[in-house]
C-alpha cells in the first residue's frame, strides 16, 4: 500500500511538471501572425509580413527564389544574389548579367555597413566625341548601337559579394534562376506592355528570332516565356565561374556582338573589369541615420541633400502632397539638379566637393533662396572653393535574414531591354549604359576611357536609434532620388505604413542649365492642388495614376518592438514580397 501511494505521488508530480512545461511552452511561443489575403486591386496598400526574414523584388518568382535561399540556410547576401539572378530570368527587360549596379550590405554581427560598386565602365577607346558625327549627336549610337554598350559589372559584383560575404557557391545562387528560365513562366501585363514598347529596338538588333520576341512578335499577357539560351549560359557560368564571362567563350561572344553593331569594346576591357568595395555615404534626418551609395551614383547624395533641405520645413503642418509641400520640394529638386550637372561624375577621375554638398549649412543656403509664393528665375549650382584630395529603368531588391543581415541592391541595363543587343545564343541583353554619360564633352560626366558614368541609383538603409529601420530602393532613372525621399517623408512625417508610403501619389521636376522644367504628377493628385500650383507658376504634366515613370520601389520596414518585418512592393511594376 505504501509503495502504491509513492507511485501515485510520483505520477501526480510528473503530471504537474508536464503541465507546467506545456504552459511554459505555449506562453513562450510567438503569437501567430494574422496575415490578410492580398487585395484583388494591386494598387491597394498591402504589407507582406514575416518574423525571421523577408525578400522584396520586382517579380514574384524572384522574391520566392530569395526566400527559398533564406530557408535553405543562406544569409542575406546569398538570398540577394539568388534574387538578382532570378530577376535576369523573369524580369530580363530591367537587369541582368549584361548590366551593373550597386549594393549596400549591413553585417549585423559586426555592425558594419559596406558598399559594393559594380557599375559598368566605358571601354578603353571611349572619348567625349564618340557619339558625334558631322557636328551632331547621334542619339541611336547612345541607345541602340554597339557604342551604347558599357563593360558589364553585374556578374563580377555578385560573385565578389558572394565570395566575401555569402555562404553559398555560385551554382547554389543560380539554381532557382536556371529553373525559372528552363521551365518558363506566364507573361504579365507589365512584361507585355514593355515588350511592345521596345519591339522595334529588339527587332532591329536581334531580328525576328530574338529570344525576347515570340516568333518575331511581342509577347501578349498570358503567353508562356522560356529562355533555353540563358539556361545554357547560366550552366556554363556555374561550371566554369565568372571568369568565363570576362575572359572566356562568353567574353568573346560579347565583343563579337558589340563590334558587329559598330562598338569599340575589347576582350581586354572585359578582362580588366573589377568591382569596387567602398565606404557608404552617411546622412541624417532628425533622429534617423541613412547609409547609401557614394558617387558615381548621384542618388544617395541627392537623397541626403533633399532630406537636409526638408529638415528646415514644417512638413507635417503643410500636409502630405499639399501645394506648399509640392512647391517647396520641387524647388529643392531644381537646385539639386544644378549641382548634379556641375559637380558629379566618376570620383576615381574627378574631384567632387561631397562634404560641402552634404552639409546642413549648404542645405540652409538653398532653403533661404526658395520663395513660398513663386518660382525662381534660375537655380544656380553651389559655388565652393576648390577642394584638395577630395529612361532609365532598373530594378531593386531588398533582403533581411534571421540574423539581421541586410542587402539593399539596385541594378540595371539602363533603358528597358537595354541596347536590344543579345550576344549569340546567350539569352541575355547587353546594356546601353553609355547613354548615362553627358552629351556635353566638357561635363565632369563626359565619356572617357574606363570611367563609370553617373547614375541616379540610391539603394539605402535607414537606421532609427542605431537599429535598422527601413531598407529601400527603386528604379526610375533621375526620378529615383525624388521618389525615395518622398517615401521616407511619407513614413517619418506623415505616419504612413510602408506600402501606403510606396503607393502614395508621386511628383517630380528638374532643371536644365538652371532653368525650370515642367512638374510631372500622377493623376491621383487632386485638381484643386494642381490649380494652386499653377497659380504659383508651375507648368504641370499629368501622368497615369500609377505611372512607371516614377519607378517601382521595393522596401522592408523592421519593427523591433513588435518583432515583425514588413515588405512593401510597388504596384507600378510587378513588385512582390516573400517573408517567413
Amino acid at each position: 500500500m505504501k509503495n502504491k501511494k509513492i507511485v501515485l505521488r510520483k505520477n501526480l508530480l510528473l503530471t504537474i511538471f508536464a503541465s507546467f512545461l506545456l504552459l511554459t511552452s505555449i506562453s513562450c511561443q510567438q503569437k501567430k501572425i494574422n496575415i490578410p489575403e492580398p487585395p484583388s486591386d494591386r494598387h491597394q496598400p498591402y504589407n507582406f509580413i514575416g518574423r525571421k526574414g523577408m525578400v522584396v523584388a520586382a517579380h514574384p518568382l524572384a522574391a520566392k527564389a530569395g526566400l527559398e535561399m533564406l530557408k535553405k540556410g543562406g544569409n542575406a547576401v546569398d538570398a540577394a544574389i539568388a534574387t538578382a539572378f532570378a530577376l535576369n530570368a523573369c524580369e530580363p527587360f530591367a537587369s541582368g548579367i549584361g548590366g551593373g549596379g550597386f549594393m549596400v550590405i549591413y553585417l549585423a554581427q559586426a555592425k558594419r555597413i559596406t558598399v559594393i560598386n559594380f557599375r559598368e565602365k566605358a571601354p578603353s577607346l571611349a572619348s567625349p566625341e564618340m557619339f558625334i558625327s558631322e557636328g551632331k549627336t547621334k542619339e541611336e549610337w547612345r541607345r541602340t548601337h554597339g557604342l551604347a554598350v558599357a563593360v558589364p559589372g553585374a556578374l563580377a559584383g555578385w560573385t565578389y559579394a558572394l565570395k566575401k560575404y555569402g555562404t553559398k557557391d555560385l551554382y547554389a545562387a543560380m539554381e532557382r534562376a536556371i529553373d525559372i528560365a528552363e521551365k518558363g513562366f506566364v507573361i504579365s501585363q507589365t512584361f507585355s506592355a514593355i515588350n511592345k514598347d521596345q519591339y522595334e529596338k529588339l527587332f532591329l538588333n536581334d531580328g525576328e528570332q530574338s529570344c525576347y520576341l515570340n516568333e518575331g512578335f511581342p509577347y501578349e499577357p498570358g503567353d508562356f516565356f522560356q529562355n533555353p539560351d540563358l539556361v545554357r549560359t547560366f550552366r556554363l557560368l556555374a561550371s566554369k565561374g565568372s571568369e568565363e564571362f570576362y575572359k572566356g567563350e562568353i567574353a568573346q561572344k560579347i565583343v563579337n556582338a558589340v563590334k558587329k553593331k559598330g562598338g569599340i569594346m575589347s576582350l581586354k576591357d572585359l578582362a580588366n573589369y573589377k568591382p569596387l568595395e567602398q565606404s557608404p555615404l552617411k546622412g541624417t534626418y532628425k533622429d534617423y541615420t541613412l547609409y547609401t551609395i557614394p558617387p558615381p551614383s548621384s542618388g544617395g547624395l541627392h537623397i541626403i541633400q533633399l532630406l537636409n533641405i526638408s529638415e528646415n520645413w514644417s512638413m507635417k503642418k503643410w500636409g502630405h502632397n499639399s501645394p506648399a509641400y509640392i512647391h517647396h520640394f520641387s524647388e529643392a529638386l531644381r537646385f539639386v539638379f544644378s549641382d548634379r550637372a556641375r559637380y558629379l561624375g566618376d570620383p576615381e577621375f574627378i574631384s567632387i566637393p561631397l562634404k560641402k554638398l552634404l552639409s546642413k549649412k549648404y542645405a540652409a543656403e538653398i532653403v533661404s533662396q526658395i520663395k513660398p509664393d513663386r518660382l525662381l528665375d534660375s537655380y544656380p549650382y553651389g559655388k565652393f572653393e576648390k577642394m584638395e584630395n577630395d529612361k532609365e529603368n532598373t530594378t531593386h531588391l531588398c533582403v533581411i535574414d534571421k540574423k539581421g543581415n541586410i542587402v539593399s541592391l539596385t541594378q540595371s541595363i539602363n533603358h528597358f531591354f537595354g541596347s536590344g543587343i543579345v550576344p549569340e545564343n546567350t539569352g541575355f541583353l547587353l546594356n546601353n549604359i553609355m547613354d548615362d554619360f553627358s552629351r556635353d564633352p566638357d561635363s565632369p560626366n563626359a565619356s572617357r576611357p574606363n570611367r563609370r558614368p553617373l547614375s541616379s541609383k540610391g539603394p539605402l538603409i535607414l537606421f532609427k536609434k542605431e537599429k535598422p529601420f527601413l531598407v529601400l530602393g527603386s528604379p526610375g532613372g533621375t526620378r529615383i532620388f525624388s521618389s525615395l525621399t518622398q517615401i521616407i517623408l511619407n513614413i517619418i512625417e506623415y505616419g504612413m505604413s510602408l506600402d501606403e508610403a510606396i503607393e502614395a501619389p508621386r511628383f517630380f521636376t528638374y532643371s536644365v542649365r538652371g532653368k525650370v522644367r515642367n512638374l510631372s504628377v500622377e493623376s491621383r493628385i487632386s485638381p484643386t492642388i494642381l490649380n494652386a500650383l499653377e497659380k504659383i507658376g508651375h507648368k504641370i504634366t499629368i501622368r497615369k495614376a500609377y505611372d512607371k515613370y516614377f519607378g517601382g520601389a521595393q522596401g522592408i520596414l523592421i519593427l523591433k518592438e513588435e518583432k515583425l518585418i514588413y515588405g512593401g512592393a510597388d504596384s507600378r511594376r510587378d513588385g512582390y514580397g516573400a517573408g517567413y
Side-chain angles (χ1 to χ4, degrees):
M1 186 70 181
K2 185 176 179 182
N3 289 339
K4 190 175 180 181
K5 285 182 179 180
I6 291 169
V7 170
L8 286 171
R9 191 178 294 116
K10 282 183 177 178
N11 287 341
L12 179 62
L13 287 169
L14 285 171
T15 302
I16 293 169
F17 183 63
S19 299
F20 171 76
L21 287 176
L22 179 62
L23 287 169
T24 304
S25 172
I26 292 170
S27 66
C28 290
Q29 286 178 4
Q30 290 180 324
K31 190 178 179 181
K32 188 177 179 181
I33 308 170
N34 182 24
I35 304 176
E37 288 293 314
S40 56
D41 178 3
R42 289 195 68 247
H43 298 312
Q44 281 291 110
Y46 175 81
N47 292 303
F48 297 89
I49 300 175
R51 284 197 190 274
K52 294 181 179 178
M54 177 70 67
V55 182
V56 189
H59 195 284
L61 291 174
K64 290 173 182 177
L67 179 62
E68 185 179 296
M69 176 60 83
L70 290 180
K71 287 183 173 180
K72 285 181 176 178
N75 66 14
V77 173
D78 299 318
I81 305 310
T83 307
F85 271 115
L87 284 167
N88 193 161
C90 59
E91 198 203 26
F93 52 80
S95 69
I97 58 176
F102 304 85
M103 69 178 87
V104 184
I105 301 172
Y106 173 63
L107 303 164
Q109 186 173 357
K111 294 185 177 179
R112 183 168 77 88
I113 300 164
T114 189
V115 168
I116 298 175
N117 170 358
F118 51 99
R119 177 69 161 162
E120 304 88 333
K121 297 180 78 169
S124 55
L125 294 177
S127 71
E129 298 80 21
M130 64 186 288
F131 302 113
I132 298 173
S133 177
E134 297 177 352
K136 292 184 179 179
T137 297
K138 295 283 188 181
E139 290 299 326
E140 66 274 18
W141 290 4
R142 298 177 62 92
R143 297 178 179 180
T144 58
H145 188 277
L147 289 174
V149 184
V151 182
L155 189 60
W158 300 347
T159 305
Y160 178 93
L162 205 59
K163 285 181 178 178
K164 188 165 183 180
Y165 298 112
T167 65
K168 304 293 184 179
D169 61 20
L170 189 60
Y171 175 72
M174 310 171 75
E175 190 175 8
R176 188 70 185 102
I178 292 170
D179 192 54
I180 294 167
E182 188 168 39
K183 292 180 179 176
F185 58 93
V186 176
I187 291 288
S188 69
Q189 181 67 46
T190 301
F191 191 125
S192 175
I194 294 168
N195 198 221
K196 289 173 183 176
D197 286 345
Q198 302 300 318
Y199 171 73
E200 186 178 343
K201 174 169 67 179
L202 288 167
F203 191 87
L204 172 71
N205 271 329
D206 205 32
E208 63 180 18
Q209 299 306 314
S210 170
C211 60
Y212 292 108
L213 295 176
N214 189 3
E215 297 182 355
F217 294 94
Y219 281 92
E220 295 291 341
D223 284 347
F224 201 69
F225 178 77
Q226 293 170 287
N227 194 340
D229 286 346
L230 187 64
V231 172
R232 285 191 290 272
T233 296
F234 279 178
R235 283 184 172 152
L236 182 62
L237 292 170
S239 64
K240 294 191 175 183
S242 60
E243 291 290 293
E244 186 66 19
F245 185 92
Y246 289 98
K247 295 179 180 178
E249 177 187 332
I250 298 173
Q252 187 64 65
K253 287 185 175 184
I254 292 170
V255 171
N256 290 347
V258 169
K259 288 191 172 179
K260 184 179 177 181
K261 298 296 181 180
I264 55 176
M265 191 185 300
S266 69
L267 286 170
K268 189 175 180 181
D269 290 328
L270 282 161
N272 287 342
Y273 184 88
K274 295 289 185 294
L276 295 175
E277 185 164 4
Q278 300 172 294
S279 297
L281 212 57
K282 180 180 177 182
T284 61
Y285 180 77
K286 297 185 176 178
D287 295 331
Y288 297 83
T289 304
L290 181 147
Y291 296 92
T292 183
I293 57 175
S297 181
S298 70
L301 164 64
H302 295 329
I303 292 167
I304 295 171
Q305 279 190 295
L306 288 167
L307 288 173
N308 285 346
I309 293 167
S310 299
E311 211 169 32
N312 291 272
W313 291 327
S314 304
M315 310 295 286
K316 286 181 182 176
K317 184 179 178 182
W318 286 342
H320 178 251
N321 279 357
S322 63
Y325 171 47
I326 294 175
H327 167 67
H328 284 80
F329 193 95
S330 296
E331 291 287 89
L333 273 171
R334 290 160 183 156
F335 275 101
V336 161
F337 270 94
S338 284
D339 286 337
R340 187 178 193 271
R342 174 65 181 85
Y343 292 112
L344 298 188
D346 188 341
E348 286 194 272
F349 297 90
I350 65 168
S351 177
I352 302 171
L354 272 180
K355 188 175 180 180
K356 297 282 188 179
L357 289 167
L358 290 168
S359 72
K360 303 283 187 182
K361 181 182 177 183
Y362 179 53
E365 288 174 10
I366 291 175
V367 168
S368 70
Q369 297 177 70
I370 295 173
K371 308 300 179 187
D373 55 354
R374 64 180 177 86
L375 276 62
L376 299 179
D377 294 327
S378 66
Y379 303 85
Y381 55 79
K383 293 183 173 65
F384 308 121
E385 293 178 9
K386 187 176 180 181
M387 296 180 65
E388 296 181 4
N389 302 319
D390 191 34
K391 231 163 209 198
E392 305 81 76
N393 281 287
T394 302
T395 198
H396 181 80
L397 63 95
C398 319
V399 182
I400 182 170
D401 66 24
K402 63 184 179 182
K403 292 184 178 179
N405 301 304
I406 295 170
V407 176
S408 185
L409 187 159
T410 310
Q411 59 189 34
S412 182
I413 51 175
N414 205 22
H415 299 136
F416 283 135
F417 287 99
S419 64
I421 299 171
V422 179
E424 185 180 8
N425 299 326
T426 61
F428 67 87
L429 288 149
L430 292 174
N431 67 79
N432 60 354
I433 290 288
M434 294 297 287
D435 190 49
D436 279 356
F437 283 112
S438 174
R439 285 159 178 77
D440 179 1
D442 296 323
S443 166
N445 186 40
S447 172
R448 287 185 170 84
N450 304 312
R451 292 198 182 189
R452 289 176 166 89
L454 187 61
S455 169
S456 297
K457 298 178 184 69
L460 63 90
I461 304 173
L462 189 71
F463 284 66
K464 182 180 182 181
K465 296 179 181 177
E466 299 183 351
K467 293 182 179 179
F469 173 67
L470 176 66
V471 189
L472 194 63
S474 179
T478 51
R479 280 82 62 203
I480 290 173
F481 46 87
S482 171
S483 294
L484 294 179
T485 308
Q486 288 173 55
I487 293 168
I488 291 169
L489 293 172
N490 288 347
I491 293 169
I492 295 175
E493 295 293 345
Y494 301 115
M496 295 185 191
S497 70
L498 174 60
D499 201 48
E500 187 183 7
I502 289 172
E503 300 294 346
R506 295 183 197 153
F507 60 91
F508 172 75
T509 187
Y510 61 107
S511 62
V512 175
R513 298 182 187 88
K515 298 300 179 183
V516 67
R517 288 296 183 265
N518 281 16
L519 171 62
S520 289
V521 301
E522 288 187 315
S523 61
R524 292 175 288 150
I525 295 177
S526 77
T528 304
I529 289 170
L530 300 184
N531 288 337
L533 290 165
E534 285 176 332
K535 286 179 182 177
I536 295 173
H538 294 275
K539 292 182 179 179
I540 295 171
T541 300
I542 299 177
R543 297 184 178 271
K544 294 176 185 176
Y546 294 86
D547 204 307
K548 288 192 291 290
Y549 174 82
F550 296 97
Q554 319 295 346
I556 291 174
L557 191 69
I558 303 148
L559 303 175
K560 290 285 185 184
E561 291 182 5
E562 293 86 346
K563 296 181 180 178
L564 289 175
I565 305 165
Y566 284 168
D570 206 323
S571 66
R572 293 170 181 85
R573 298 255 286 263
D574 293 331
Y576 191 84
Y580 77 117

